[in-house]
Every structure is written in structure tokens, then in C-alpha cells.
Amino acid sequence: MSSYPEIIILNGTLITFDDATPDDATALTMAEGVITAVGPNAAMRDLAGPDTHVIDAQGGTVMPGFIDSHVHLFGGSVELSCLDLFGIQGGDALKAAIAPFAAANPDDRIVFAVQADYAILHDTRTPTRQELDQACPDRPFAMFAPDHHTVWANTAALELAGLLHGGETDAGSQIVMGDDGRATGELREPGAYAAILKLTRHGGRDMAGLVTGADPVPAPTRAEREKDKAAIARGMKHCAAQGITGLHCMDGNRYQLELLSEMEAEGTLLCRTAVPFHLKSYDSLDRLEQADTMRRDFSGDMVWCNHVKMFIDGVVEGRTAHMLAPYPGTDDNYGDPVFEVDHFNEACRRIDAMGMQIAVHAIGDAGIRHTIDGYEAARKANGARDSRHRIEHLEVMHPDDIPRLAELDIVASIQPGHAPFGGIFPPGGVGKYLHDYQIEGAYPWREIRDSGAKVVFSTDWPVIGVEVMTNVKAAIAPLDLGPQWHDQTQTLMETLSSYTRDNAWVEFNEDRKGKLAKGMMADVVIMSHDLATLPPARITDAFAKVTICGGRVTHEAG
């Protein structure tokens, strides 16, 4: 190790998450990718050598780099260059937004937009292809809902994708058909909209890890691989600018792992990234042999595979989240389960027996219950172990299931910005799809944490932006939607812990990262403000001034 620190940070307000930190610590040093000392300014300054890079934190919070434990990196990176419809409302505004983007991108096979609210055209129903024909009359056009569980397409796009007259889909997906025997334009879940994504700039390669969990077909050319890496590199810069040093992807295939490994060798990988093996409901469980191979082949500090992702259901707004009771206004729509119960339980048992971590997307109260049941079945079959199995989202829980999380050592992986009181999505968007009694268990962050369950926070980028402070604000300053909605406010320290130390723990790296202490990985963020002094509603005034990953400066503001 070098005799001098490579970087010294002075004048910081430290949040170390290390009980052994000296009371007078305001500075730290790092060399060769690890933190070498934490202590007072004078002592740390005296360690500087002739080539040491000294950074003045100017009183801002210095803390472990943020780890976003639920993202879709490839898709989020690509969508940075898509037409963003966030906040667009009404047909005229939609048409006005599409026209200049379409004109500026004449070579795109399809004009593709993201962040289209379910109520973008109407409060009471979703868009039709005919309405999108009016919004974009001369080009194929499609748009993603924010949650990425629904795509709406105009007639030209449906024709180009071969979906206008319907088609086969896998469990839980639906091409919504009209009375005229043709598609209405609404495509629910990946099994329905995959053909649309193949028409986009990256040929759907960015979403292959979500849609199929397999590598793109046909195999990407060298030029396509370079194009894909360039997009991910832009996404990495965007993440590093938020103070992020680690990412847990929740879609995956070998192709993504190969791209990220190439980027690491080329020096463009700015965040440590975990990529899962994605098991689909139609997969034979023999395919799990590939998960074990991916785990063996990718096990570095920067790129690794150690978890298996599954979907048990969809989303509330699309009425595809699996519920214990039919959706309001329907007699028989409970939302379709993606996995059959026996298949899911056996998948959980086999993955657990392999020693791999499981992460399951579960949003509806029935979907969450089935997921807990599957984890319980694996535990009974294999015995209890330190598995740290996760449930992603947990948006509508039956109150009886909340204590089961702690009882079974299940991790609650929550995205505060998803909630109607998170200040990002329309506050009235979800409630109309729920019965009044279900709201008691909706987005129950406080109840989950108070039950003793482990809680980790993330964004689900690009469902919402990967901006850390926006999501922190959703947790510490949620909107008051009235007495029907329980107060789920989190403290600042709970939130920061769930975004750093606890996310290091959930990836089994608590002894190597997530704290500022000697010997820990030099993953550090310097914030513009002392976060503890900002009123909760103004936490977004703060931004990452400097981000350091593995002792390498990956972002400097300005």
C-alpha cells in the first residue's frame, strides 16, 4: 500500500455508520481503493503526501456512497434519450410533445416515449390506439407507462409489430382486444409488448433481461455491443452524479454481465453492479443451472451475479397486481398470478438450496402472500439459513402478513417514491384501484420497519428517476393524504441507512462497504449540505458534490 493517502477529505460532517468513529472525526483518508483512516482534520491533513488529492467538504455531509438496490440499469440508461412525457396531460399537449421529438429523430423505426401516466388523456380510462393515431398520425408511436408494465401503441406501431390482430402471450400478460376484434392499443406486461420494444433504437436489447431473462436474439453485432455500452456509460455517469457507488439490477442476462465486465476493463464502469439471473414463469427449473454458471463466472467486486429475480404479479394501475379480492368495479379480476403456486414454491426451494439469494417482484396482497409462502416453503424444506431473500415493492399488504416478514427474515425492498404520498406520481392514481379496507396495508413502510423486518430503499429506475434526494424526500417528507392513509414517515437516519449500510448488508457486503471505517471500500459521497440541518421538505436542496467509488473520483459537480 502507498505510504501516502491518494485522497484526503477534510472538513466533513461525517455519517459513518460505524460506532467506533471518534467523536472529533471530520476527515478521512483513502488509498488503493480502501479507507485508510478516519479522524480529526489536523491528524488526517498531516498524512498528506506530495501527490495526495485533498478535497474540502466545506461542512457538507460525508457518508458511504449510496447503493440503489433496485434498478434496471440498461433500460434506464437508454431511456435518458427517449421522449419523456412526465407531466404531459391531454391530447393537444401529447401531440405537441411528440412532433419535435419525431422530427429530430427521423430514422427511428418507431417514435418511443416513456413516463406516460395512466391518466395522460382521461381520468377514467387509458388511451386507445385511435387517440394515439391523432397524437402521432404519420409515424408508428408507442409509449411506456411509468411503471413499465403497460405500453400503449398507435395503429401503425401495432401493425408494424404484428399485434393489431392480437397474438399469444405468456401468463400474466395481455394484448387488450376491442369489440372490433383488433387490439385497443393497450399492451399489459412484457409478454404483450416485447414486439414493440424490438422496434426501438436498441432493438429491445436493453429490456431483454426483463422481458425474457435470456440473451438478445439474434446475437448483437460488435457495433451493437458498442452502442449498448455507450448508452450504459451515459447511465453510469448519471448515477454517479447522484452520489451512487453501487447498483442492484433487477433484470438480467449474461449479455448485460458481459457488457459491464468489458466496461470495467475499459474504465467506463463507474458503479459497482450486481446483475441477477432472471427466471421466467415459463422456464424449466433446469434453467437454474445457468444461474449457477453466471454466479461462478461473474464474482468480482465491480460486477457480480448472486441473486435470482422472479415476478409473481404486475402492478395495481394496470390491474395486473395479484389481489385477494377482485378489483373495485369488477367481479372476477383478481390480477393474474405470473407463477403457478407449486412451480413458484419449487423454484424458491431449489434456488435457496443453491445458496443464492431470491428477489421477487410482488405488489398485490395475494402476490405478496404467495411470495412469503414460497420463502416459508423453502425454509421448511432446506432449513433456516442467512438467505436475505427479498420482496420487491410490497405495495398492498394484508396486515396479517406484515409480521411474517421479520418472523421469516425476509427483507422488505421498498421504493418510497412509488407511493401516492411520495410526491412523484399523482396522489390519486392508486387509491381508485383499491378497496377502502386495502388502504390500511398500502405502502406500509412504518409498520414493516416497526415490526423488526429489515428495510432497504431504492428507486426502481427508470420507473422513477434514480435521483437519490428525491427518493429520500419521499421517505422523510411524504404528502398527507388524509386519515385513511397511515403516516409512513421515516427518519433521516433510517432512510440514509436503508440507502447505504443496509443495502451493503443485503448484498452480503456489510464487512466491506456501507460504512466509513478503516479497511472498508473507499466508496464515499460528499454532499453539498449537512443533511441533518436541512428541513425534510428541503432535503432536495442537497446534491452530490463528489462521488468516489473504489478510491476513484467518478463525479465532481461543476
Side-chain angles (χ1 to χ4, degrees):
M1 182 171 288
S2 170
S3 58
Y4 297 112
E6 294 166 9
I7 297 176
I8 297 177
I9 300 172
L10 301 174
N11 300 314
T13 302
L14 271 55
I15 298 176
T16 66
F17 296 112
D18 177 25
D19 294 338
T21 302
D23 292 338
D24 60 350
T26 55
L28 58 91
T29 67
M30 59 192 79
E32 298 186 7
V34 299
I35 295 170
T36 51
V38 178
N41 269 4
M44 299 298 101
R45 186 187 293 112
D46 289 346
L47 299 175
D51 298 320
T52 299
H53 178 32
V54 179
I55 303 173
D56 185 353
Q58 298 179 319
T61 292
V62 179
M63 59 183 292
F66 294 110
I67 301 172
D68 194 324
S69 59
H70 186 129
V71 299
H72 302 276
L73 170 62
F74 196 175
S77 300
V78 166
E79 289 187 18
L80 291 174
S81 61
C82 289
L83 173 60
D84 190 339
L85 298 176
F86 182 80
I88 296 296
Q89 197 72 38
D92 291 342
L94 177 59
K95 186 171 184 178
I98 293 170
F101 182 86
N105 296 278
D107 297 330
D108 286 356
R109 295 182 70 192
I110 185 171
V111 180
F112 195 71
V114 298
Q115 291 294 324
D117 189 75
Y118 279 84
I120 189 169
L121 297 183
H122 310 279
D123 288 336
T124 56
R125 63 177 177 82
T126 53
T128 65
R129 63 179 170 87
Q130 292 89 347
E131 289 170 323
L132 298 185
D133 292 343
Q134 295 175 20
C136 187
D138 54 357
R139 297 270 297 276
F141 170 76
M143 58 187 191
F144 243 147
D147 55 33
H148 291 64
H149 286 259
T150 300
V151 164
W152 297 280
N154 71 358
T155 303
L158 292 167
E159 287 181 318
L160 189 60
L163 301 175
L164 185 59
H165 300 285
E168 295 295 322
T169 65
D170 49 59
S173 298
Q174 181 183 8
I175 301 169
V176 179
M177 302 301 292
D179 294 337
D180 62 357
R182 296 195 286 181
T184 66
E186 182 160 301
L187 308 169
R188 299 176 180 171
E189 302 299 330
Y193 61 62
I196 292 288
L197 298 182
K198 285 186 175 294
L199 303 173
T200 59
R201 290 176 189 167
H202 290 258
R205 296 186 300 278
D206 53 311
M207 297 293 286
L210 179 74
V211 174
T212 68
D215 289 341
V217 177
T221 64
R222 170 49 57 185
E224 289 171 336
R225 292 177 78 95
E226 294 302 317
K227 181 178 182 180
D228 293 347
K229 284 191 293 183
I232 296 172
R234 290 192 295 273
M236 283 278 177
K237 288 181 180 179
H238 183 60
C239 291
Q242 317 309 319
I244 293 170
T245 57
L247 301 165
H248 300 170
C249 290
M250 285 297 149
D251 65 281
N253 50 21
R254 191 177 187 89
Y255 180 61
Q256 282 192 64
L257 285 160
E258 290 174 350
L259 293 181
L260 294 170
S261 296
E262 290 175 17
M263 290 174 65
E264 179 184 2
E266 294 160 358
T268 57
L269 190 73
L270 305 184
C271 305
R272 306 181 193 274
T273 308
V275 176
F277 176 86
H278 188 171
L279 185 72
K280 304 294 287 187
S281 60
Y282 48 76
D283 285 333
S284 164
L285 296 186
D286 291 340
R287 187 168 175 254
L288 289 171
E289 294 177 6
Q290 297 177 35
D292 191 45
T293 300
M294 284 169 57
R295 172 173 55 172
R296 291 197 309 269
D297 291 349
F298 300 94
S299 58
D301 288 339
M302 291 297 295
V303 180
W304 71 97
C305 174
N306 192 44
H307 64 289
V308 176
K309 171 71 182 299
M310 293 184 283
F311 280 79
I312 199 73
D313 65 356
V315 293
V316 174
E317 294 92 331
R319 296 188 179 91
T320 53
H322 189 35
M323 298 295 189
L324 294 169
Y327 282 90
T330 72
D331 294 327
D332 58 359
N333 182 12
Y334 293 80
D336 293 328
V338 175
F339 273 82
E340 296 296 333
V341 170
D342 290 345
H343 188 196
F344 178 76
N345 288 356
E346 179 61 13
C348 291
R349 186 196 68 77
R350 288 184 57 172
I351 298 164
D352 181 70
M354 292 167 62
M356 293 189 75
Q357 187 181 41
I358 309 171
V360 175
H361 166 117
I363 283 183
D365 47 17
I368 295 169
R369 179 168 292 178
H370 291 331
T371 304
I372 295 172
D373 290 347
Y375 289 168
E376 185 174 33
R379 189 178 179 118
K380 288 179 178 178
N382 301 326
R385 69 177 183 88
D386 185 15
S387 62
R388 307 185 195 183
H389 296 325
R390 308 164 46 150
I391 300 180
E392 311 299 315
H393 311 308
L394 306 108
E395 292 187 1
V396 183
M397 290 191 73
H398 191 287
D400 290 352
D401 289 321
I402 292 175
R404 298 179 68 199
L405 299 175
E407 290 167 5
L408 294 167
D409 299 319
I410 297 170
V411 181
S413 175
I414 291 170
Q415 300 71 43
H418 283 196
F421 40 80
I424 297 174
F425 293 135
V430 172
K432 59 189 176 185
Y433 298 101
L434 301 177
H435 298 282
D436 287 346
Y437 67 84
Q438 288 177 306
I439 291 176
E440 178 186 357
Y443 308 89
W445 317 330
R446 188 75 262 160
E447 289 88 344
I448 291 173
R449 193 182 290 277
D450 290 347
S451 75
K454 201 76 167 182
V455 176
V456 297
F457 281 162
S458 56
T459 61
D460 199 10
W461 182 52
V463 171
I464 58 176
V466 77
E467 290 80 6
V468 173
M469 287 297 107
T470 304
N471 212 46
V472 169
K473 181 180 178 181
I476 68 174
L479 303 177
D480 182 357
L481 299 186
Q484 191 175 21
W485 295 86
H486 291 190
D487 180 10
Q488 304 296 343
T489 302
Q490 310 284 290
T491 69
L492 177 64
M493 291 306 296
E494 286 173 338
T495 301
L496 296 179
S497 178
S498 288
Y499 233 127
T500 54
R501 178 184 61 187
D502 300 336
N503 277 339
W505 172 86
V506 82
E507 64 174 56
F508 296 90
N509 266 322
E510 67 270 27
D511 294 330
R512 306 178 69 212
K513 66 174 79 164
K515 297 180 183 179
L516 302 185
K518 184 178 179 179
M520 302 294 281
M521 291 180 177
D523 294 358
V524 181
V525 60
I526 304 173
M527 301 300 294
S528 59
H529 294 65
D530 176 356
L531 299 182
T533 66
L534 284 171
R538 290 187 53 199
I539 198 71
T540 49
D541 289 356
F543 58 90
K545 289 180 64 177
V546 179
T547 308
I548 300 168
C549 181
R552 170 191 177 194
V553 175
T554 56
H555 166 75
E556 285 187 277

